Amino acid sequence: MFGLLNLGSLVLGLIAWILPVVNLMRYETHNNKNWITLSVMSISVCSLSLCFQILYIYHKVTVEDWSGLMDTMYAVAFASAALLIVTIVLNAITLIVYRDRTAK
């Protein structure tokens, strides 16, 4: 059951990247007034994905699976940092692109 946390984290991470890309693809549409909602959803889903990873690590510590933790912590830390950085960059690009349109 706890293995689903990793799958859920992966799916939510992909959603966190897809939402700002959808925002950028819809830039030409003149009625795209909910861009900020999608950006907030993207950051929220990224946070939820990272929370799933923390819960999975907590489970591993609780069952004292030290070898499992030592084997996977580098990859988990790298993937979590990459998820956060890419999500922030994509949402920053979205903010820069839409800032000019909102000001008009």
Side-chain angles (χ1 to χ4, degrees), residues 83-94:
L83 171 68
L84 184 61
I85 290 168
V86 171
T87 303
I88 289 172
V89 167
L90 285 172
N91 282 299
I93 291 169
T94 302

Side-chain angles (χ1 to χ4, degrees), residues 35-73:
W35 67 271
I36 196 153
T37 304
L38 291 177
S39 290
V40 169
M41 285 175 53
S42 170
I43 294 170
S44 299
V45 170
C46 177
S47 300
L48 191 58
S49 174
L50 293 174
C51 183
F52 277 15
Q53 282 302 311
I54 292 169
L55 289 173
Y56 184 71
I57 292 169
Y58 174 74
H59 168 69
K60 287 289 189 188
V61 169
T62 303
V63 297
E64 298 180 358
D65 185 7
W66 307 121
S67 62
L69 279 172
M70 289 190 306
D71 289 343
T72 61
M73 277 314 298

Side-chain angles (χ1 to χ4, degrees), residues 14-26:
L14 289 174
I15 291 171
W17 287 354
I18 290 171
L19 288 175
V21 171
V22 167
N23 249 345
L24 291 171
M25 288 175 25
R26 290 178 37 176

